[in-house]
Amino acid sequence: MRTQLLFFDKQYFDFYKKLKSEEGKEIISVTDGLLNFEKINEVDENYQIVDISSLVSLDRIQYNAELVLPKFPYDTIFIADNKHKELFEYELRYCFENFIDIDSIEDIEVEYNVVDNSIKTKKLNHKRIIDLNSEEIQDFNDLFSNHIYGHEKFKDDFSELIRNFRVFNKLGEHKILSLFLMGDSGVGKTEVARAIHKSLGGKSKLAKINFGNYSSDNALNSLIGSPRGYIGSEAGEIFIKIKESDIGVILIDEFEKSNSTLFNYFLDVLESGKMVSSMAEEIDLNGFIIIFTSNISKEEFPKRISPELRSRFDYKGYFMPLFHSHKEKFVEFRIKNIIEKFNTNFDFELPENIATDILYRINVGQYKNMRDLNKKIKDTFVKSVMELLVKKDG
Ligand SMILES: Nc1ncnc2c1ncn2[C@@H]1O[C@H](COP(=O)(O)OP(=O)(O)O)[C@@H](O)[C@H]1O
Ligand SMILES: [Mg+2]
């Protein structure tokens, strides 16, 4: 009995083969050994890996496998096409103790980075949406939904996007999930990024870049660092922000404020899943979510953002002002929050009905921007407390 049979994904076979050949190993087929047992004696377990996929074509797989496999040197590595996984797991249950997938993408990328040493690759330890199991994803969706008021259609779309992203990312076909959120100020675009960060358990600050600060000709240099040798050459803001964060989320605020050099840079980042600094340092953003926000209107969108870039975003959404009921919920939640903070800091008993009283005093219909509404909540709270104090003293 051997310890393990490794299953490969056909899609990555060539890559796997190339990698192994760089380690000095070649992949041979079990077929030769089946035709001529003598050949098996020549197999070198240190330099040869045996692909046993062709066993499927035999009539009596179990019988033949049990006959031929023990003849190979003890430490031989056996691999097989994962297409036949179920069949092999059954037929070869007396030949192998374990059946394991070569986690193609993960393993290959790690090894690949080692092979390619022209660029220093930074391995990040960020928690990403693709790191969650299906139970944790459920929790994530719930947390996210509760954090963001309204935008129900977006929430549904987003949870579907995540589901697909996790599958296609695993297949190596989708590296970064990108969202482009438009809409008026104060409707929750930036809050979406904060909510993802929080719902993934973020403890550090969210990696946030405001493109409003990057409109000059020299913007790309300040963002990704200036080339070696230049005065003030140092790591760019975006690398610093990403390294300081613990979660695989990046927020690019006011995206439209920047220029085409930066647009093209991001086009490349989304395509390659990597960010390369001008110091030739590279960070792997595989599995990251990047949220781009913008205050431009739907009509402006095609004028300001190039077709290439537009088509590159996985999701483009326009955020409408919140509905009345959602704004009321927001107010309720904020008041509760403020009262809690107040109670821990002040030794003054607030009347029980203060929350409903404040809610009653605020006409949410007057506010489209939740920032303004938030300010109104604070003002109203302070006013109410002042009135109570006056009453108490008087
Ligand atoms: N849909 C929402 N859900 C929860 N909070 C929101 C929502 N919209 C706005 N807010 C609140 O209003 C503030 C401003 O929202 P923000 O997301 O920064 O607006 P913008 O759309 O301009 O990016 C946030 O700090 C947040 O507390
Ligand atoms: Mg914003």
Side-chain angles (χ1 to χ4, degrees):
M1 191 112 162
R2 303 303 170 96
T3 356
Q4 60 187 32
L5 174 61
L6 301 174
F7 289 105
F8 60 82
D9 189 325
K10 188 93 193 161
Q11 201 185 345
Y12 301 110
F13 183 71
D14 287 341
F15 201 35
Y16 181 73
K17 201 162 141 185
K18 189 162 158 270
L19 261 174
K20 292 296 149 187
S21 91
E22 281 175 38
E23 292 171 17
K25 293 182 181 141
E26 80 171 318
I27 298 173
I28 59 170
S29 168
V30 73
T31 319
D32 291 345
L34 283 172
L35 298 174
N36 180 357
F37 285 171
E38 289 291 304
K39 287 241 166 143
I40 297 179
N41 293 329
E42 294 164 20
V43 169
D44 186 333
E45 58 193 335
N46 294 315
Y47 297 104
Q48 289 174 313
I49 295 170
V50 182
D51 179 1
I52 63 168
S53 307
S54 60
L55 288 181
V56 289
S57 57
L58 299 178
D59 277 341
R60 291 182 298 164
I61 299 177
Q62 185 176 343
Y63 172 83
N64 280 300
E66 284 171 21
L67 196 70
V68 72
L69 295 183
K71 296 193 191 303
F72 285 89
Y74 189 74
D75 282 328
T76 306
I77 297 171
F78 293 101
I79 61 171
D81 191 331
N82 66 5
K83 197 167 65 182
H84 312 301
K85 190 168 177 187
E86 230 171 87
L87 181 71
F88 279 167
E89 275 179 346
Y90 180 73
E91 296 285 345
L92 307 183
R93 63 196 184 281
Y94 300 122
C95 297
F96 297 99
E97 278 170 40
N98 298 300
F99 298 88
I100 297 171
D101 287 316
I102 300 175
D103 199 342
S104 24
I105 304 140
E106 294 279 319
D107 288 353
I108 286 176
E109 263 184 7
V110 172
E111 294 187 49
Y112 187 66
N113 291 341
V114 176
V115 175
D116 175 17
N117 49 19
S118 58
I119 289 178
K120 294 177 277 177
T121 301
K122 272 262 167 357
K123 264 270 151 204
L124 299 172
N125 238 341
H126 293 46
K127 179 137 180 221
R128 301 160 303 174
I129 194 87
I130 56 166
D131 297 325
L132 305 185
N133 63 34
S134 38
E135 220 169 275
E136 291 167 333
I137 278 292
Q138 188 58 50
D139 292 343
F140 170 86
N141 280 330
D142 292 346
L143 283 171
F144 179 80
S145 273
N146 287 331
H147 189 130
I148 298 291
Y149 294 89
H151 306 308
E152 303 300 337
K153 171 82 169 64
F154 168 76
K155 287 178 193 168
D156 286 348
D157 291 343
F158 182 52
S159 106
E160 198 180 317
L161 273 172
I162 290 175
R163 208 177 52 215
N164 294 343
F165 177 56
R166 284 160 54 82
V167 174
F168 286 101
N169 180 272
K170 193 119 191 88
L171 297 177
E173 294 194 1
H174 195 172
K175 304 219 180 232
I176 294 176
L177 180 65
S178 55
L179 312 178
F180 191 88
L181 305 178
M182 291 164 276
D184 290 341
S185 240
V187 292
K189 302 182 300 293
T190 300
E191 197 65 22
V192 164
R194 289 192 205 107
I196 299 173
H197 179 261
K198 265 264 159 59
S199 306
L200 277 172
K203 301 268 186 301
S204 66
K205 270 204 305 201
L206 164 73
K208 171 180 163 178
I209 302 287
N210 195 327
F211 267 18
N213 305 330
Y214 287 98
S215 48
S216 77
D217 290 343
N218 198 34
L220 188 63
N221 278 349
S222 0
L223 186 71
I224 67 170
S226 31
R228 237 187 278 265
Y230 275 63
I231 299 168
S233 83
E234 51 189 47
E237 184 192 4
I238 197 155
F239 291 92
I240 297 169
K241 289 276 174 72
I242 293 172
K243 281 175 201 165
E244 281 172 356
S245 172
D246 55 348
I247 301 289
V249 176
I250 302 170
L251 167 67
I252 308 288
D253 245 351
E254 301 196 83
F255 185 65
E256 83 289 351
K257 292 264 170 72
S258 184
N259 56 42
S260 57
T261 328
L262 276 184
F263 291 174
N264 289 332
Y265 177 77
F266 271 90
L267 197 58
D268 192 53
V269 170
L270 294 181
E271 205 69 53
S272 67
K274 288 179 176 136
M275 212 170 247
V276 181
S277 80
S278 54
M279 316 272 284
E281 182 185 63
E282 179 183 88
I283 52 178
D284 185 0
L285 299 181
N286 185 44
F288 269 55
I289 301 177
I290 305 186
I291 295 119
F292 299 87
T293 76
S294 173
N295 288 351
I296 56 175
S297 65
K298 253 188 211 157
E299 294 71 33
E300 271 180 294
F301 180 55
K303 290 183 204 149
R304 303 284 290 272
I305 312 290
S306 75
E308 293 85 5
L309 200 51
R310 260 183 276 149
S311 67
R312 196 60 199 69
F313 295 124
D314 299 310
Y315 181 87
K316 293 160 282 247
Y318 193 83
F319 272 24
M320 301 298 280
L322 293 185
F323 291 137
H324 201 89
S325 60
H326 294 136
K327 285 191 255 183
E328 279 181 337
K329 273 213 192 99
F330 176 79
V331 177
E332 276 171 44
F333 176 80
R334 285 293 298 146
I335 297 174
K336 219 177 104 212
N337 212 259
I338 293 172
I339 292 174
E340 268 168 29
K341 275 189 196 152
F342 182 88
N343 285 339
T344 55
N345 287 298
F346 294 95
D347 193 19
F348 176 78
E349 188 117 356
L350 293 171
E352 264 180 41
N353 64 349
I354 186 160
T356 26
D357 185 46
I358 296 172
L359 189 58
Y360 183 75
R361 286 178 176 211
I362 298 173
N363 177 6
V364 297
Q366 284 181 341
Y367 301 90
K368 276 192 180 159
N369 185 330
M370 304 295 275
R371 244 177 246 115
D372 298 340
L373 182 56
N374 201 19
K375 186 165 180 308
K376 175 73 182 171
I377 297 167
K378 285 186 202 159
D379 290 350
T380 315
F381 178 80
V382 172
K383 221 160 136 192
S384 302
V385 174
M386 292 303 280
E387 284 168 11
L388 288 166
L389 286 173
V390 170
K391 237 191 254 165
K392 188 172 156 251
D393 291 343

